[in-house]
Amino acid sequence: MRQNSSTRIRTVALVGHGASGKTSLTESLLAASGAITARGSVEKGNTVCDFDPIEKEFGHSLNAAIVSFDWADAKVHLIDTPGYPDFTGQSIAALAAVDCALVVINAQTGIELSTERMFTLAGERGLCRMIVINKIDADNVDLPALVNNIRERFGKECLLLDLPVHHGQEVVELLGHDTGESDFASVAAAHRALIDQIVEEDDDLMARYLEDGADPSPEALHEPFERALRAGHLIPILFVSSRTGAGVPQLLDAIAKLAPNPAEGNPPPFFRGEPGQEHESFAAEPDPDKHVLAHVFQVIVDPFMGKLGVFRVHQGTVRKDAQLFVGNGKRAFKVAHLYRLQGKDYIEVPELVPGDIGAVAKVDDIEFDCVLHDSHDEDHIHLQALEFPQPMQGLAVETHRKGDEQRLFEILHKLELEDPSFKTERHPTTNEVVIRGIGEMHLRAKLARMKNQFKLELDTKEPQIAYRETITTGAEGHCRHKKQSGGAGQFGEVMLRIEPLPRGTGFEFVDIVKGGAIPGVFMAAVEKGVQHALAAGVVAGFPVQDLRVTVYDGKTHAVDGKEVAFVAAARKATVEAIRKASAIVLEPMVNVSVLAPENAMGDVTGDLASRRGHVTGTASSVKGSVTISALVPLAELENYQGRLKSLTGGKGAYSIAFSHYAQAPSTVQSALAGKYKAVEIDD
């Protein structure tokens, strides 16, 4: 019976661009399944998923929300994800918890910025995918053109699973219907194309199909349909109106009857070993009687419940009062309370089986992306990490009231725990506290949360750009640190050489000292001194990267040789070497994707060029829009949001993602170096 309970489970995520209607569609699914008595609306602020006060204020989702409902003997766990690019971190994290991604497209606006990205990421993760076209009853929609655009962008394997009829007021399912009318396309032709694609997955079935000429039974089609879905050979397209409910029963049937259960989906990419080292891939088994493996894909800091770890069970059964380990932790924690989430409500449950999504509260060791397990045999098991967008948009913050500095860092730490795309940094030379997110809206939401929930008001200003420094040639450095002030003194001598590494490599520390010239006990101090020098910078006060530091000789003293001496000697030797090595300043380059009206394309590309940007491509979208891709220095995008609105009449949108560091122009380097020297003199 417990095994059967896992086979009943379906885990799906609604992903897609903002304003595609995912939250409203969730309301329709909940209402149609009987999980709620009436649909809420985003406009009225009474939906199950957008329950956060800031979400109601902003008028769209900021966080991934989880709901469950029953339909046709299936138990469905659904994650409603944010759609705006600024909050894409929450959407990407949800992909680790589901077996199927429902990519929602607004029929009025077509394929937008986040749609293609989430479609691609879900495919790379091995998830089954379905495309849901929402708002089919809206005015001025061109569904045939949209379907053609989907197939051009996403492939010919995108096939109709149903079709709208009566101007989007109803929907006809195609697997079981080969005749009838629709608003566009032939029901018979669409039915035949779907059957042809499915039977290709089974040679015996295809042979019988070609010989008999009759459609296989629904039972015979089920297994090859699942196989085609898992392999990405079939990506069904469904039509719905979340406003009227048209197509919602058909979508529920597709989820319950066609989406994979935990045993049918592509296995999640687990591996044994530590990240960055050699590891062994293996598949978790959705067996409730095996050891527990559960992956934490979301952390929530709730003002009443405290810190919650939200996880998907991949193997075994998690029970109340069980003992679980967090990652490589040696001490187990007791599952005092076990919850299922329904929007803002936490519903206590006795156990969770493979495929279930649940949460535990008040476990300090739980972090995003950790694995929960019940045996030390699983200490070194990890789930393949997802790639999140680099948070490049920044604001320098300081507390409005004196004395709130400690609270600021505590609160920022909580926000970092929740959001893998939100980071905090402190500049070593200016002591600026900088919060970084995906975009302006992302940071505005964090500031609103700090003010409303944590009662912390902050003053903000534009931060320094996250420049870096590197070297272009090799050089050597040497320092003898000697200090005598009566009694025992300090002595440490370090000789080292530095050499450049390929861009993006980072930092390597090599110890080739022989004969105990620098005792091994002091080598950690030498590396610490090197790291201090690299963090503080030499040319313009920015961290130095992409170099190898090789320590090859040195000296110590039997009495005065001390750790502090080797830290100081290594730091000074490193600074000396960098000054000889033709150091340069690197600036961050970002990939910018701009969605704009076609008639504004010239103005947008011209503006990007004026910002030292290089346009890398353009792609037509529906409804007279174009997507422009460009590579631009991050420093040139200050106040870009306002400029884009001006160029496009308020119709433009953009997202950025970190690309790489490149050498800054000589004028920029000179200006930065001049400012740094002025600060040094002032200090």
Side-chain angles (χ1 to χ4, degrees), residues 17 42 69 72 92 94 104 171 242 244 285 302 307 322 360 400 403 446 451 503 511 546 560 584 644 662:
H17 198 79
V42 173
F69 55 86
I92 293 173
V104 183
V171 165
S242 58
T244 67
E285 298 181 45
D302 186 276
K307 181 181 178 183
V360 290
H400 190 66
K446 298 300 182 187
K451 180 179 179 180
R503 198 80 76 235
D511 168 20
D546 302 336
D560 295 343
I584 59 172
L644 183 61

Side-chain angles (χ1 to χ4, degrees), residues 59-232:
H60 58 78
S61 301
L62 305 178
N63 306 295
I66 301 159
V67 295
S68 300
F69 55 86
D70 295 319
W71 182 264
D73 199 38
K75 176 183 177 184
V76 181
H77 296 305
L78 181 147
I79 306 178
D80 175 29
T81 69
Y84 286 98
D86 283 27
F87 307 99
T88 192
Q90 291 274 325
S91 303
I92 293 173
L95 298 180
V98 299
D99 298 311
C100 184
L102 304 181
V103 182
V104 183
I105 298 176
N106 184 340
Q108 293 178 293
T109 54
I111 300 171
E112 298 178 85
L113 282 174
S114 296
T115 309
E116 188 162 8
R117 180 176 193 185
M118 295 308 299
F119 179 90
T120 303
L121 288 173
E124 291 173 350
R125 195 70 180 181
L127 301 181
C128 299
R129 291 168 291 177
M130 299 184 187
I131 294 172
V132 181
I133 299 177
N134 191 17
K135 305 185 182 182
I136 59 173
D137 59 327
D139 295 332
N140 301 319
V141 299
D142 188 346
L143 296 178
L146 177 54
V147 170
N148 288 336
N149 189 242
I150 288 171
R151 301 194 73 194
E152 287 174 4
R153 299 274 285 274
F154 298 153
K156 300 298 184 184
E157 59 270 23
C158 298
L159 292 176
L160 301 169
L161 192 62
D162 56 36
L163 276 168
V165 297
H166 303 140
H167 305 291
Q169 297 305 307
E170 296 178 27
V171 165
V172 58
E173 184 271 332
L174 293 175
L175 265 179
H177 295 84
D178 59 359
T179 60
E181 298 180 354
S182 78
D183 290 346
F184 71 96
S186 162
V187 170
H191 169 85
R192 189 61 47 219
L194 185 61
I195 298 296
D196 289 348
Q197 185 79 358
I198 296 171
V199 298
E200 282 186 5
E201 297 294 322
D202 189 311
D203 292 341
D204 292 338
L205 185 64
M206 175 178 277
R208 292 197 302 273
Y209 173 61
L210 293 174
E211 182 178 341
D212 300 341
D215 288 348
S217 67
E219 293 75 19
L221 287 171
H222 181 80
E223 174 56 32
F225 185 99
E226 293 279 0
R227 201 180 307 153
L229 205 60
R230 289 194 299 271

Side-chain angles (χ1 to χ4, degrees), residues 321-364:
D321 296 328
Q323 300 282 328
L324 293 179
F325 298 95
V326 180
N328 299 344
K330 301 305 178 186
R331 295 181 58 186
F333 71 90
K334 181 181 178 181
V335 182
H337 299 279
L338 192 60
Y339 300 101
R340 177 173 64 81
L341 279 66
Q342 189 74 353
K344 67 178 178 180
D345 297 325
Y346 302 103
I347 302 166
E348 198 151 359
V349 294
E351 67 176 27
L352 298 170
V353 298
D356 273 330
I357 293 175
V360 290
K362 299 177 181 177
V363 181
D364 291 338

Side-chain angles (χ1 to χ4, degrees), residues 183-323:
D183 290 346
F184 71 96
S186 162
V187 170
H191 169 85
R192 189 61 47 219
L194 185 61
I195 298 296
D196 289 348
Q197 185 79 358
I198 296 171
V199 298
E200 282 186 5
E201 297 294 322
D202 189 311
D203 292 341
D204 292 338
L205 185 64
M206 175 178 277
R208 292 197 302 273
Y209 173 61
L210 293 174
E211 182 178 341
D212 300 341
D215 288 348
S217 67
E219 293 75 19
L221 287 171
H222 181 80
E223 174 56 32
F225 185 99
E226 293 279 0
R227 201 180 307 153
L229 205 60
R230 289 194 299 271
H233 297 161
L234 173 61
I235 301 169
I237 300 175
L238 301 101
F239 296 86
V240 301
S241 167
S242 58
R243 185 180 66 86
T244 67
V248 169
Q250 289 82 357
L251 176 57
L252 284 166
D253 282 342
I255 294 171
K257 299 175 182 179
L258 301 176
N261 66 41
E264 293 170 329
N266 291 324
F270 278 102
F271 64 88
R272 287 187 179 90
E274 293 304 315
Q277 301 177 2
E278 287 189 19
H279 58 262
E280 170 197 359
S281 299
F282 79 99
E285 298 181 45
D287 183 339
D289 297 321
K290 287 190 173 290
H291 283 311
V292 169
L293 281 179
H295 174 255
V296 176
F297 67 92
Q298 187 180 33
V299 172
I300 301 172
V301 180
D302 186 276
F304 304 106
M305 299 288 291
K307 181 181 178 183
L308 285 105
V310 185
F311 57 87
R312 153 80 183 261
V313 182
H314 291 280
Q315 179 179 290
T317 301
V318 179
R319 297 183 177 86
K320 184 178 179 297
D321 296 328
Q323 300 282 328

Side-chain angles (χ1 to χ4, degrees), residues 51-54 63-64 90 296 298-310 341 346 359-364 366-368 410-419 422 446 449-450 453-454:
F51 54 84
D52 188 283
I54 303 173
N63 306 295
Q90 291 274 325
V296 176
Q298 187 180 33
V299 172
I300 301 172
V301 180
D302 186 276
F304 304 106
M305 299 288 291
K307 181 181 178 183
L308 285 105
V310 185
L341 279 66
Y346 302 103
V360 290
K362 299 177 181 177
V363 181
D364 291 338
I366 281 185
E367 296 180 351
F368 172 78
E410 292 172 358
I411 292 167
L412 289 176
H413 178 62
K414 291 179 179 178
L415 297 181
E416 283 185 299
L417 289 175
E418 292 183 319
D419 191 342
F422 176 76
K446 298 300 182 187
R449 175 115 184 262
M450 284 189 270
Q453 180 178 327
F454 297 104

Side-chain angles (χ1 to χ4, degrees), residues 376-653:
H376 281 305
D377 292 341
E378 282 81 39
D379 276 356
H380 301 286
I381 286 179
H382 304 270
L383 193 63
Q384 180 181 318
L386 291 155
E387 290 190 15
F388 292 93
Q390 188 87 356
M392 300 302 296
Q393 188 85 14
L395 272 179
V397 299
E398 58 183 27
T399 57
H400 190 66
R401 293 188 299 268
K402 296 296 181 184
D404 277 347
E405 289 81 4
Q406 185 59 38
R407 282 192 68 227
L408 170 64
F409 290 108
E410 292 172 358
I411 292 167
L412 289 176
H413 178 62
K414 291 179 179 178
L415 297 181
E416 283 185 299
L417 289 175
E418 292 183 319
D419 191 342
S421 295
F422 176 76
K423 301 297 179 188
T424 304
E425 59 187 43
R426 189 165 188 166
H427 199 284
T429 56
T430 64
N431 284 327
E432 275 188 337
V433 177
V434 178
I435 58 173
R436 293 199 178 275
I438 305 302
E440 178 189 1
M441 194 184 299
H442 191 194
L443 295 181
R444 281 202 295 117
K446 298 300 182 187
L447 293 172
R449 175 115 184 262
M450 284 189 270
K451 180 179 179 180
N452 297 346
Q453 180 178 327
F454 297 104
K455 311 303 178 188
L456 180 68
E457 292 196 36
L458 301 176
D459 297 324
T460 64
K461 61 180 180 180
E462 290 294 325
Q464 290 192 11
I465 297 295
Y467 293 102
R468 295 291 184 264
E469 299 177 15
T470 193
I471 58 174
T472 56
T473 63
E476 295 196 356
H478 165 240
C479 177
R480 174 182 292 180
H481 178 82
K482 185 176 182 181
K483 189 174 182 181
Q484 200 75 36
S485 56
Q490 298 176 8
F491 183 90
E493 185 172 355
V494 174
M495 302 177 193
L496 53 80
R497 70 174 65 96
I498 61 175
E499 55 187 307
L501 293 177
R503 198 80 76 235
T505 305
F507 160 65
E508 290 182 14
F509 180 80
V510 180
D511 168 20
I512 59 170
V513 175
K514 296 180 180 178
I518 300 178
V521 69
F522 291 133
M523 194 51 67
V526 173
E527 184 173 1
K528 184 178 180 181
V530 171
Q531 293 276 25
H532 283 180
L534 299 184
V538 174
V539 177
F542 297 103
V544 187
Q545 64 182 33
D546 302 336
L547 77 166
R548 178 185 292 118
V549 177
T550 303
V551 181
Y552 63 87
D553 203 357
K555 290 182 181 177
T556 187
H557 187 275
V559 177
D560 295 343
K562 289 184 174 62
E563 180 178 322
V564 64
F566 281 99
V567 170
R571 181 178 60 81
K572 294 172 185 175
T574 304
V575 170
E576 177 187 304
I578 292 173
R579 284 177 172 156
K580 297 176 182 176
S582 303
I584 59 172
V585 175
L586 302 173
E587 63 178 353
M589 305 293 292
V590 294
N591 290 315
V592 182
S593 182
V594 183
L595 182 69
E598 284 183 348
N599 58 13
M601 186 172 77
D603 292 336
V604 172
T605 55
D607 183 70
L608 290 170
S610 72
R611 296 170 183 269
R612 296 193 284 124
H614 172 64
V615 175
T616 56
T618 59
S620 296
S621 187
V622 296
K623 292 290 181 184
S625 297
V626 63
T627 300
I628 303 162
S629 302
L631 187 66
V632 188
L634 179 63
E636 299 291 336
L637 290 177
E638 185 176 344
N639 301 320
Y640 185 64
Q641 182 77 39
R643 179 61 177 159
L644 183 61
K645 285 182 179 179
S646 174
L647 293 172
T648 61
K651 296 179 181 179

